[in-house]
Amino acid sequence: MSGPRGSLYRDTGVVLRTYKLGEADRIVVLITERHGKVRAVAKGVRKTRSKFGSRLEPMSHVALQLYQGRELDIVTQAESVDHFRAIREDLDRFAHASSMLEAVDQMSLEREDNPALYKMLVGALRTLADHDSPLVVAAFYWKLLAQEGFRPELDVCVGCGEDAELVAFDLEEGGTLCRVCRSGVPISPDALDLLRAILGGQLVVVLALPPSAATREVDQLATRAMEHHIERKLRSIGMLERR
Ligand SMILES: [Zn+2]
């Protein structure tokens, strides 16, 4: 993973968010290919016409050289790989991308390398730069949750195990439920088909679909599942820290 403190290292990453530090500096939070989530200082970017500034905005895909500090790393070089202009110039796409960046920020841990997460985000941003889709965020969330080990059961009832008509979806129970065992929220047959397609590797087909009641339903379920997962994760981290 990381080299010894006080050394320079290179990596490629996507800026998840930035915030101000002191008078002139900015902290940049990135998901990187090889070092997980990195929090680094971009010095002087707010004071001068720094060539860094515009390259280190949220969503920017950058190749970096960093100096590894004790608390925070320092950005010493930043070259733009992709600025995703098509996303920035479209409010809907920008909102979709922002939701994905936020989820990655909350799902990733500092200095815990997770190349799959990085690759998934870069892939999703490239897809979004190419064309918008009502299911781009939902598909990203479900894939992300599956990668984290949460893959809902969608083929049988999680209550009785029967291959019955599935009418409900319960995050706590881990998937779909029949009419007898039902709990959680109702799920329509169309939304269930979409969910199966997303998790069954038919992303290209799913992302080409126009908005419908079913895409809205899958989008809402994805948001709820992501919130549920993040809340549980934060709670378990909090418990570890109290030990
Ligand atoms: Zn059942």
Side-chain angles (χ1 to χ4, degrees):
M1 277 196 51
S2 312
R5 261 177 203 142
S7 64
L8 285 170
Y9 67 98
R10 298 191 70 90
D11 207 341
T12 308
V14 175
V15 179
L16 299 176
R17 63 190 160 94
T18 68
Y19 53 96
K20 292 173 184 176
L21 176 72
E23 288 294 303
D25 304 340
R26 201 182 284 281
I27 304 262
V28 184
V29 181
L30 305 117
I31 181 82
T32 65
E33 187 171 17
R34 294 192 304 276
H35 297 80
K37 186 156 74 177
V38 167
R39 199 180 295 269
V41 187
K43 286 192 177 285
V45 287
R46 289 167 44 228
K47 206 167 211 171
T48 53
R49 279 173 159 273
S50 159
K51 48 186 192 291
F52 277 3
S54 61
R55 291 176 198 164
L56 293 172
E57 284 169 0
M59 207 189 306
S60 296
H61 190 198
V62 281
L64 299 162
Q65 188 184 61
L66 298 121
Y67 176 84
Q68 189 161 24
R70 192 178 296 274
E71 297 279 328
L72 288 161
D73 294 354
I74 297 165
V75 179
T76 53
Q77 276 177 34
E79 287 155 37
S80 179
V81 176
D82 200 333
H83 199 57
F84 297 116
R85 186 186 295 270
I87 301 177
R88 289 175 201 279
E89 288 174 350
D90 178 331
L91 276 180
D92 286 338
R93 288 195 225 192
F94 189 81
H96 286 159
S98 300
S99 300
M100 298 196 287
L101 296 179
E102 198 184 324
V104 169
D105 189 16
Q106 291 183 304
M107 297 280 268
S108 54
L109 294 174
E110 282 184 45
R111 303 207 175 280
E112 187 181 271
D113 66 335
N114 192 342
L117 185 57
Y118 161 82
K119 282 198 195 97
M120 211 183 284
L121 179 61
V122 171
L125 289 173
R126 284 184 181 147
T127 301
L128 191 56
D130 189 44
H131 65 276
D132 200 2
S133 154
L135 281 174
V136 69
V137 176
F140 183 73
Y141 282 6
W142 284 114
K143 300 294 273 185
L144 203 57
L145 290 167
Q147 199 236 331
E148 286 264 310
F150 176 69
R151 201 183 177 89
E153 171 62 55
L154 300 171
D155 296 318
V156 294
C157 170
V158 290
C160 62
E162 290 289 319
D163 182 14
E165 187 197 358
L166 302 165
V167 297
F169 185 86
D170 192 334
L171 288 165
E172 291 288 351
E173 300 295 327
T176 43
L177 291 132
C178 75
R179 208 170 285 282
V180 178
C181 307
R182 65 185 307 165
S183 63
V185 293
I187 188 167
S188 71
D190 288 347
L192 186 53
D193 282 346
L194 282 180
L195 255 183
R196 286 178 182 145
I198 288 171
L199 289 166
Q202 294 176 59
L203 268 191
V204 177
V205 179
V206 167
L207 292 177
L209 293 171
S212 65
T215 65
R216 277 189 292 279
E217 198 180 333
V218 168
D219 191 48
Q220 281 165 8
L221 274 177
T223 302
R224 202 170 295 153
M226 183 56 77
E227 283 168 0
H228 179 79
H229 183 82
I230 286 168
E231 203 177 290
R232 234 178 20 183
K233 186 163 182 160
L234 291 178
R235 229 181 295 145
S236 67
I237 292 169
M239 266 153 69
L240 286 176
E241 281 171 351
R242 274 199 294 277
R243 270 183 198 164

